[in-house]
Amino acid sequence: MSRTQANWSADGSYLPPIDPHTKAKHQILETYLENLIFTLYGKGRYGETTFTFIDGFCGGGMYDDKDNNIEWEGSPIRIIKAIREGYKKSRRKYPLNVKFIFIDNNQNHLDCLKNYSMPKAGLGELVDEQLHEYNGEFGKLLEECEFRCSEFENLVNECVWKIDIRKGHSFFFLDPFGWTDVSMNSINKIQSLKGSEILYTYMIDYLKRFIIGKQGQDKITFNKLLEAEGYYESADLSRLDKVGEQCYFRNESMRLFRDKGNTKYVFTFSLIPKGDVRVLYYLIHLSKNLTALEVMKETFWKENNLVFQYYFDLYGYGFKTADFYEEMQTSLMFNITKNSYDFCLEKLDNELGELIHNNQDGIKFREICHETMERNPASKEHYTRYINILRNEKQIEVWRNGKIVTGNKIILQRNDIIKLTGFKQLSFF
Ligand SMILES: C[S@@+](CC[C@H](N)C(=O)[O-])C[C@H]1O[C@@H](n2cnc3c(N)ncnc32)[C@H](O)[C@@H]1O
């Protein structure tokens, strides 16, 4: 039911080995958070100044990277450092207030984090749970850590309550060993907060084994915890090939979290183990905020190396290790020769073209993003380019404050209205 469980000794004398997909997960986490701070705090005149980060399954903070003979920093350390980087990049004069709550149900793991890993990473002063001022060159960065030894589920209400009082933006990193540690009810509560996001490790491969077998107690627990009655049930799985099966599980997972998770936007990263074709787990990003989804896509579209996922109208990016193509059966390659840029524009042409065509009196850019952002690999920049191509071909007009916007390349704003020019066919491919 759970992946190989990492264990930390309290004094850091034993650190678990790091694997490649945990490294990829860390890369996603830290790059995203740095960009999130830069976007929400650093951009615009009055950015967000209060943030709370909850690492609900934080672990001991350091791994043994045996291949490279070094230590590899874990999620709590990476979160703190990513926020500092985002803050430095922002160069803002007004203060940024950040609280980190680190939760683990194993006291040894928390001890290792506080007494070994954080001091080793140069963050030793933060373990006293007091407010500290980080010496940036710009406005103040105020940081405070809280460490809690508990089951995550038992602290969800408290966390939500604290964030509600603090206000501002919150981000939950939920990285359990298995699928039984986070309930849909908790996801719902978190998502009821204004400005909250979740990055959740969803262990689809373990789930799959028992979903296919549909066995007794596991199934009851699953349905109860994840409110999944009526999901993962309709397909004749034995008739699907490996890829079809993956697609089915992914679509059902998206449907489940969208319906039951009180969330607006669901975006996934598929993490595929070395030398395998199956998804071991999804990192699922849940948010109610279009900006958060845009930051996610902008940050990672270049690194995404699972283009084929989009051939099935599935959503999200994927990460695979370098030897993936060598080991992958050629039948799974789908003869993809297009580069990802053309692929994005083609996808947009299908989706946006239809949407614009069906709204001949005009549709807001915000509405276009809302309808389509989860379903294609394109970033906001691709949307801008695509719409500018259509404008320059005089297929559409962009209206702002009652006037047509002119110029070769315009930067789109959320309230801009996209209208068809006449009734020409919308397609340039
Ligand atoms: C996969 S490890 C976390 C790794 C860490 N997020 C990282 O990337 O460095 C999972 C951690 O969750 C803890 N854990 C397991 N079940 C838990 C629960 N129900 N509540 C809180 N922590 C739990 C384990 O002790 C372990 O330290």
Side-chain angles (χ1 to χ4, degrees), residues 176-295:
F177 285 133
W179 54 268
T180 52
D181 299 307
V182 180
S183 67
M184 197 59 86
N185 188 23
S186 295
I187 288 180
N188 240 285
K189 283 180 190 157
I190 296 168
Q191 288 289 289
S192 69
L193 285 163
K194 199 166 167 276
S196 74
E197 298 172 55
I198 303 174
L199 190 62
Y200 172 41
T201 310
Y202 188 55
M203 303 299 295
I204 192 71
D205 199 46
Y206 298 114
L207 270 172
K208 222 156 58 181
R209 280 180 219 158
F210 91 84
I211 288 172
I212 290 174
K214 296 212 160 123
Q215 283 136 10
Q217 194 53 43
D218 272 350
K219 193 181 173 207
I220 295 166
T221 313
F222 176 68
N223 282 346
K224 210 166 141 208
L225 256 176
L226 289 178
E227 299 171 24
E229 187 90 47
Y231 294 79
Y232 306 101
E233 282 181 354
S234 57
D236 181 357
L237 289 168
S238 58
R239 289 178 51 203
L240 295 174
D241 62 9
K242 268 191 187 166
V243 176
E245 187 186 287
Q246 268 190 36
C247 293
Y248 174 72
F249 277 106
R250 174 132 156 184
N251 273 348
E252 284 297 90
S253 305
M254 297 304 95
R255 191 165 75 89
L256 175 64
F257 282 98
R258 205 184 309 261
D259 293 352
K260 298 290 175 79
N262 184 19
T263 195
K264 221 166 173 180
Y265 303 108
V266 181
F267 197 72
T268 61
F269 295 86
S270 315
L271 276 296
I272 298 189
K274 210 171 168 188
D276 209 330
V277 291
R278 107 212 109 90
V279 178
L280 174 61
Y281 60 87
Y282 293 122
L283 263 186
I284 302 188
H285 180 244
L286 306 164
S287 70
K288 285 184 136 169
N289 185 326
L290 195 53
T291 305
L293 175 63
E294 280 172 5
V295 175

Side-chain angles (χ1 to χ4, degrees), residues 26 57-59 63 74-75 104-105 109 150-152 175 177 181:
H26 287 154
F57 301 79
C58 66
Y63 290 83
S75 58
D104 202 290
N105 66 357
H109 295 182
S150 167
E151 301 285 313
F152 171 71
D175 182 30
F177 285 133
D181 299 307

